[in-house]
Amino acid sequence: MKKSALFKSFSRFSLLSSVFICSLVVLPTTALANKADDTLVYASDTEPENVSPYHNNVREGVILSHLAWDTLIYRNPKTGEYEGDLATSWKWQDSTHLLLNLRKGVTFQNGDPFTADDVVFTFDYMNSPQAKAVTAQNISWIDHVKKIDDYTVVLVLKKPFPAALEYLSGPTPIYPEKYYKKVGLKGYSKAPIGTGPYKITAILSGQGVNLERNDHYFTGGPIKKPAIKYIKFRVIPDPDARIAQLLTGSVDWVWRVPSDQADKMKGMPNIQIKSGETMRIGYLAMDTTSDSLKDSPFRKKLVREAVNYAIDRKAFADQLVRGGSRPLYTPCFPSQFGCDVSAATKYPYNPAKARALLAEAGYPNGFTTDFYAYRERGLAEAMLGYLLAVGIKAKLHFMTYAALRTAQRAGHVPIAFQTWGSYSVNDISASTSVFFEGGADDINKDPKVISLLKKGDTTVDPAMRKKDYSAAIKRITDEAYWAPMFTYSSNYAFDRDLNFTPYPDELPRFYESTWK
């Protein structure tokens, strides 16, 4: 695909942004309104199907989780060091027993005291089938929790899990046992309670979530009492509408701003722009095991290889995503422990080779397929253009992430453009293992890969872990189960009066923000 064609596929963003930004630069500013009300309004395109952190796995849910809940351990985003949060100290008794001393004097947002019972309940219950947790893989390495006294617990692991501290500092918030048992999942989803720096005061279906500062937040921990009193999360699916509301002062912060829009906004006096690479990756996943897709062309390795050769990753990274984006060839983010870039089979952009592989696979005239995506429609459409250029005519089905995940787990999705942020966990077990270790999201179920990843996830020796992960990456990329595309950068656009610091883990820490 030529550069001009690539940008034509992405024209929705560039053309509309040019028209609408030019029409707004003369509007008077209303930027001080939310500062005056001490209310930070941030907007994104996706709504969690359930605000309970264990019952959604979209990035917007991760953000809310870190605002309204706490974890046992905190990873300092500036130093990478682990610090005490709801736990003040910890010690490995052996490779499968982790002793944690809990912080005293912490209360949940409804006034209930935080104790060991809440830790036992959270992990034991969320690991059980009746919890119906969407993110159970984040705690499935825990066999059970043993209470020693009100402020001491031992996590008993099923097997050694060297990434335990990383997970305990990320997607593992602690729930209030007494309150959750009283209201159940349905009630908790409507009125959740955590210990975090903000408390959720309203859940507006289809619109967003309102939060208020937790003025009884505990002191002495790594997170300080927030400066901003109110936060409002607003769901605005259309990217141009999000930017419009930012420019007119209805919204204070947006992200995932296309680079061409970000460039045009850099000279605007009322807006700040910050950019940088994140841990999120973009990829194409191809189903090779579903019974309902037995005749799918993607069952053939030659076809999957053709898809890998068909798309110009560098063009996507340099021309569309930009802001630090890199071409990607691994099923993981390069900085994650175990993500051996050198082990991956690389597929350079070569449309002629892609067409030859399709012909060898029995599709000299190409074929037609359904193609699924849930975000960045412009990027998805650009990918369709590349596939069409080699003979693959793909029909786009654009839907919510929850709907796509359900359809894919049911085996109805032959190929999909998806993204993954690993819950900001800097370990390959949070990326490659999620999709290739035989779990609900593994649509390839390669026994060799599953075995290698299980060994890597449970081996204490770092060198052996790396060896197993490298072998898994080689196998996954040799078989071309995925077509990894690019790393994501994120362009943040926000009010000039807001102090905001972005981090590579794609977690906006609004509790650190202040008004100027």
Side-chain angles (χ1 to χ4, degrees):
M1 179 182 283
K2 296 181 179 178
K3 180 176 179 179
S4 59
L6 177 64
F7 276 92
K8 184 177 181 181
S9 298
F10 207 64
S11 61
R12 179 176 182 270
F13 292 111
S14 57
L15 178 61
L16 289 178
S17 64
S18 296
V19 173
F20 116 116
I21 287 178
C22 289
S23 69
L24 286 174
V25 293
V26 297
L27 290 179
T29 177
T30 57
L32 294 178
N34 289 318
K35 178 181 178 181
D37 293 339
D38 203 11
T39 302
L40 167 60
V41 182
Y42 75 94
S44 191
D45 59 353
T46 302
E47 177 184 25
E49 67 263 39
N50 188 320
V51 296
S52 169
Y54 288 102
H55 296 90
N56 79 81
N57 59 358
V58 295
R59 177 56 46 167
E60 288 73 12
V62 174
I63 296 170
L64 290 170
S65 175
H66 284 266
L67 291 174
W69 285 267
D70 285 303
T71 51
L72 293 172
I73 298 173
Y74 177 83
R75 176 164 51 82
N76 188 311
K78 297 175 182 176
T79 67
E81 297 295 320
Y82 296 117
E83 302 174 6
D85 196 355
L86 290 179
T88 55
S89 63
W90 50 90
K91 178 182 179 181
W92 285 102
Q93 296 178 318
D94 56 44
S95 62
T96 58
H97 291 78
L98 179 62
L99 175 74
L100 298 110
N101 297 305
L102 306 180
R103 190 178 298 275
K104 298 178 181 179
V106 177
T107 59
F108 286 95
Q109 293 149 1
N110 65 346
D112 288 348
F114 160 73
T115 70
D117 292 329
D118 302 301
V119 179
V120 174
F121 166 74
T122 298
F123 294 147
D124 286 357
Y125 180 73
M126 291 303 163
N127 251 329
S128 67
Q130 57 263 39
K132 299 180 180 179
V134 172
T135 62
Q137 73 273 10
N138 290 327
I139 54 173
S140 61
W141 47 275
I142 301 173
D143 184 79
H144 66 279
V145 184
K146 180 180 179 182
K147 175 183 175 181
I148 305 301
D149 58 40
D150 282 348
Y151 293 98
T152 311
V153 296
V154 174
L155 300 192
V156 182
L157 282 55
K158 295 176 180 176
K159 297 178 180 179
F161 187 65
L165 298 185
E166 182 69 14
Y167 278 78
L168 292 177
S169 69
T172 52
I174 302 301
Y175 282 22
E177 178 191 27
K178 182 179 177 181
Y179 178 75
Y180 193 96
K181 286 183 174 179
K182 177 181 177 182
V183 301
L185 175 59
K186 185 175 181 181
Y188 195 75
S189 302
K190 295 178 180 178
I193 294 295
T195 62
Y198 282 92
K199 55 185 178 181
I200 293 175
T201 58
I203 298 171
L204 311 171
S205 181
Q207 301 178 49
V209 177
N210 292 349
L211 303 98
E212 182 179 340
R213 183 175 61 211
N214 178 8
D215 285 331
H216 300 289
Y217 190 59
F218 66 89
T219 59
I223 299 174
K224 309 307 177 186
K225 181 180 176 180
I228 296 176
K229 176 85 171 172
Y230 302 102
I231 291 180
K232 292 182 178 180
F233 163 51
R234 290 295 172 259
V235 181
I236 306 176
D238 183 76
D240 296 303
R242 289 197 299 275
I243 300 296
Q245 293 204 31
L246 173 70
L247 296 180
T248 56
S250 298
V251 166
D252 301 299
W253 182 100
V254 300
W255 66 346
R256 301 170 183 163
V257 179
S259 293
D260 59 338
Q261 285 187 344
D263 289 343
K264 292 180 177 69
M265 296 167 65
K266 284 180 179 177
M268 302 185 69
N270 299 324
I271 302 297
Q272 300 180 67
I273 300 291
K274 289 188 178 181
S275 305
E277 187 183 38
T278 73
M279 287 179 63
R280 182 168 295 276
I281 62 175
Y283 62 92
L284 295 179
M286 292 166 276
D287 191 309
T288 62
T289 60
S290 171
D291 289 339
S292 63
L293 296 171
K294 288 182 178 178
D295 298 325
S296 168
F298 302 108
R299 288 287 185 104
K300 299 183 178 182
K301 179 180 176 181
L302 292 173
V303 172
R304 301 194 301 273
E305 290 178 329
V307 171
N308 270 273
Y309 282 115
I311 298 179
D312 189 346
R313 295 161 170 82
K314 193 172 189 303
F316 271 90
D318 293 349
Q319 299 171 22
L320 294 183
V321 184
R322 295 157 56 188
S325 172
R326 291 176 283 170
L328 185 71
Y329 298 93
T330 54
C332 47
F333 183 73
S335 79
Q336 290 180 309
F337 181 90
C339 189
D340 184 359
V341 175
S342 66
T345 300
K346 293 187 177 181
Y347 298 88
Y349 177 50
N350 190 334
K353 187 172 181 64
R355 286 189 288 268
L357 288 169
L358 290 176
E360 185 180 350
Y363 304 100
N365 299 316
F367 60 86
T368 300
T369 185
D370 292 313
F371 182 102
Y372 291 74
Y374 76 98
R375 58 178 278 178
E376 285 112 13
R377 190 184 189 108
L379 293 178
E381 290 173 346
M383 291 175 189
L384 298 188
Y386 276 109
L387 294 177
L388 181 61
V390 300
I392 301 175
K393 296 171 282 294
K395 178 183 178 182
L396 178 61
H397 300 268
F398 199 77
M399 55 183 60
T400 67
Y401 177 73
L404 173 52
R405 184 187 65 218
T406 298
Q408 192 166 48
R409 288 180 174 181
H412 302 317
V413 178
I415 182 170
F417 165 49
Q418 293 181 258
T419 78
W420 189 247
S422 298
Y423 301 98
S424 303
V425 173
N426 201 28
D427 190 276
I428 194 175
S429 61
S431 54
T432 312
S433 297
V434 172
F435 297 101
F436 292 98
E437 203 176 291
D441 294 307
D442 186 351
I443 56 176
N444 305 112
K445 292 183 172 59
D446 185 319
K448 292 182 180 179
V449 174
I450 292 171
S451 176
L452 287 165
L453 292 175
K454 286 185 179 296
K455 286 170 60 181
D457 286 353
T458 58
T459 300
V460 175
D461 184 348
M464 291 303 298
R465 289 189 78 204
K466 290 180 179 180
K467 181 180 178 181
D468 291 329
Y469 288 144
S470 294
I473 290 171
K474 185 179 188 305
R475 171 77 177 178
I476 292 166
T477 55
D478 280 350
E479 292 295 322
Y481 292 134
W482 272 16
M485 289 284 101
F486 45 78
T487 65
Y488 268 85
S489 62
S490 191
N491 294 310
Y492 302 88
F494 51 97
D495 189 284
R496 66 177 179 182
D497 287 319
L498 180 67
N499 289 312
F500 170 76
T501 300
Y503 294 97
D505 62 7
E506 203 185 21
L507 183 62
R509 293 167 169 82
F510 293 123
Y511 49 75
E512 293 182 350
S513 293
T514 61
W515 296 114
K516 294 181 180 177

